[in-house]
Amino acid sequence: MIDLQTFMLIGASLFCTGLYMVLTKNNAIQVLIGIEFIINAAVINLVAFGKYDKYNNGGQLFALFAIVLAAAGTAVALAIILNVYRKFKTIDPEKINALKD
Protein backbone atom coordinates (compact mmCIF):
# COMPACT_ATOMS: atom_id res chain seq x y z
CA MET A 1 0.00 0.00 0.00
CA ILE A 2 1.23 3.49 -0.84
CA ASP A 3 1.68 5.72 2.20
CA LEU A 4 0.91 9.42 2.56
CA GLN A 5 4.56 10.44 2.25
CA THR A 6 4.76 9.01 -1.28
CA PHE A 7 1.66 10.93 -2.37
CA MET A 8 3.05 14.12 -0.88
CA LEU A 9 6.39 13.58 -2.66
CA ILE A 10 4.66 13.06 -6.01
CA GLY A 11 2.47 16.13 -5.41
CA ALA A 12 5.49 18.25 -4.50
CA SER A 13 7.43 17.15 -7.56
CA LEU A 14 4.44 17.89 -9.83
CA PHE A 15 4.03 21.30 -8.21
CA CYS A 16 7.72 22.17 -8.63
CA THR A 17 7.69 21.01 -12.25
CA GLY A 18 4.58 23.10 -12.96
CA LEU A 19 6.02 26.15 -11.25
CA TYR A 20 9.24 25.80 -13.26
CA MET A 21 7.25 25.57 -16.49
CA VAL A 22 5.16 28.63 -15.66
CA LEU A 23 8.19 30.74 -14.82
CA THR A 24 10.55 29.73 -17.62
CA LYS A 25 8.62 28.81 -20.77
CA ASN A 26 8.06 31.23 -23.64
CA ASN A 27 5.11 29.38 -25.10
CA ALA A 28 1.59 30.05 -23.84
CA ILE A 29 0.55 26.43 -24.26
CA GLN A 30 3.50 25.23 -22.19
CA VAL A 31 2.60 27.75 -19.50
CA LEU A 32 -0.94 26.34 -19.54
CA ILE A 33 0.45 22.82 -19.14
CA GLY A 34 2.48 24.05 -16.15
CA ILE A 35 -0.67 25.45 -14.56
CA GLU A 36 -2.37 22.10 -15.09
CA PHE A 37 0.55 20.36 -13.36
CA ILE A 38 0.06 22.64 -10.35
CA ILE A 39 -3.67 21.89 -10.25
CA ASN A 40 -3.00 18.15 -10.55
CA ALA A 41 -0.55 18.33 -7.65
CA ALA A 42 -3.30 19.87 -5.52
CA VAL A 43 -5.76 17.18 -6.63
CA ILE A 44 -3.32 14.41 -5.69
CA ASN A 45 -2.89 15.94 -2.23
CA LEU A 46 -6.66 16.28 -1.78
CA VAL A 47 -7.24 12.63 -2.67
CA ALA A 48 -4.36 11.50 -0.44
CA PHE A 49 -5.72 13.42 2.54
CA GLY A 50 -9.26 12.34 1.72
CA LYS A 51 -8.17 8.74 2.18
CA TYR A 52 -7.95 9.41 5.91
CA ASP A 53 -11.44 10.96 6.09
CA LYS A 54 -13.53 7.86 6.71
CA TYR A 55 -16.92 9.54 7.04
CA ASN A 56 -17.38 12.52 4.72
CA ASN A 57 -15.10 11.80 1.72
CA GLY A 58 -14.36 15.52 1.62
CA GLY A 59 -11.02 15.15 -0.15
CA GLN A 60 -12.52 13.24 -3.06
CA LEU A 61 -15.36 15.73 -3.42
CA PHE A 62 -12.96 18.69 -3.46
CA ALA A 63 -10.74 16.84 -5.95
CA LEU A 64 -13.68 16.23 -8.28
CA PHE A 65 -14.65 19.90 -8.02
CA ALA A 66 -11.05 20.95 -8.78
CA ILE A 67 -10.91 18.66 -11.83
CA VAL A 68 -14.12 20.15 -13.23
CA LEU A 69 -12.83 23.70 -12.67
CA ALA A 70 -9.49 22.84 -14.27
CA ALA A 71 -11.22 21.46 -17.36
CA ALA A 72 -13.36 24.59 -17.71
CA GLY A 73 -10.35 26.83 -17.16
CA THR A 74 -8.35 24.97 -19.78
CA ALA A 75 -11.12 25.34 -22.34
CA VAL A 76 -11.30 29.10 -21.73
CA ALA A 77 -7.51 29.48 -21.79
CA LEU A 78 -7.19 27.60 -25.08
CA ALA A 79 -9.88 29.79 -26.62
CA ILE A 80 -7.98 32.90 -25.50
CA ILE A 81 -4.70 31.50 -26.87
CA LEU A 82 -6.31 30.78 -30.23
CA ASN A 83 -7.73 34.30 -30.47
CA VAL A 84 -4.39 35.85 -29.50
CA TYR A 85 -2.66 33.74 -32.15
CA ARG A 86 -5.12 34.94 -34.79
CA LYS A 87 -4.36 38.56 -33.97
CA PHE A 88 -0.60 38.52 -33.25
CA LYS A 89 0.53 35.35 -35.12
CA THR A 90 2.53 34.21 -32.10
CA ILE A 91 1.88 32.51 -28.77
CA ASP A 92 5.00 33.85 -27.08
CA PRO A 93 3.78 35.87 -24.07
CA GLU A 94 6.85 38.14 -24.24
CA LYS A 95 6.09 39.27 -27.80
CA ILE A 96 2.47 40.19 -27.11
CA ASN A 97 2.73 43.74 -25.81
CA ALA A 98 -0.55 45.38 -26.84
CA LEU A 99 -4.00 44.14 -25.95
CA LYS A 100 -5.76 47.25 -27.31
CA ASP A 101 -7.01 47.61 -30.89
Side-chain angles (χ1 to χ4, degrees), residues 66-87:
I67 289 170
V68 169
L69 286 178
T74 302
V76 170
L78 283 175
I80 291 171
I81 289 171
L82 286 173
N83 284 329
V84 166
Y85 180 75
R86 281 188 199 141
K87 183 170 176 83

Side-chain angles (χ1 to χ4, degrees), residues 35-47:
I35 292 170
E36 288 297 319
F37 277 1
I38 292 171
I39 292 171
N40 285 333
V43 168
I44 286 175
N45 286 337
L46 285 171
V47 171

